Amino acid sequence: MANNNRNQNNNGKMTVQEAGRKGGEATSNNHNQEFYQEIGRKGGEASNGNNQNNNGNNNGGKMSREEAGRKGGEASRRNNNNNNNN
């Protein structure tokens, strides 16, 4: 009897893991290989675009390492100049 309830919590509700498994199975039954290839391609394009730092300014609003280093160097130089003038 206990094995029949292995996918339910104490409230008789479906666990998150069970819901995810069932949803994945339903999606798998409703879609073919081309569907998965297409969403994989779209996901790859989206993540590739966000990882291009300063190449075409498509960096998702993040500063490139080069730009961060330049700004940090400028700030450091300003701080050193201010300390030397005091």
Side-chain angles (χ1 to χ4, degrees), residues 5-82:
N5 294 328
R6 67 180 171 87
N7 293 325
Q8 295 179 349
N9 62 20
N10 291 335
N11 297 330
K13 296 181 181 177
M14 189 181 310
T15 65
V16 173
Q17 291 82 5
E18 180 68 6
R21 185 184 62 76
K22 283 187 163 189
E25 288 175 354
T27 302
S28 177
N29 290 336
N30 292 329
H31 298 286
N32 58 17
Q33 182 178 358
E34 288 80 23
F35 168 80
Y36 289 103
Q37 289 173 338
E38 180 69 13
I39 62 171
R41 183 187 59 76
K42 288 180 179 180
E45 287 175 356
S47 67
N48 186 28
N50 289 333
N51 290 331
Q52 293 176 353
N53 289 330
N54 251 0
N55 294 334
N57 294 328
N58 193 8
N59 56 12
K62 295 181 182 178
M63 186 185 309
S64 70
R65 292 179 183 153
E66 179 182 350
E67 180 72 5
R70 184 185 61 76
K71 286 186 174 186
E74 288 175 358
S76 178
R77 186 174 347 140
R78 279 195 304 270
N79 288 337
N80 286 338
N81 288 339
N82 289 339

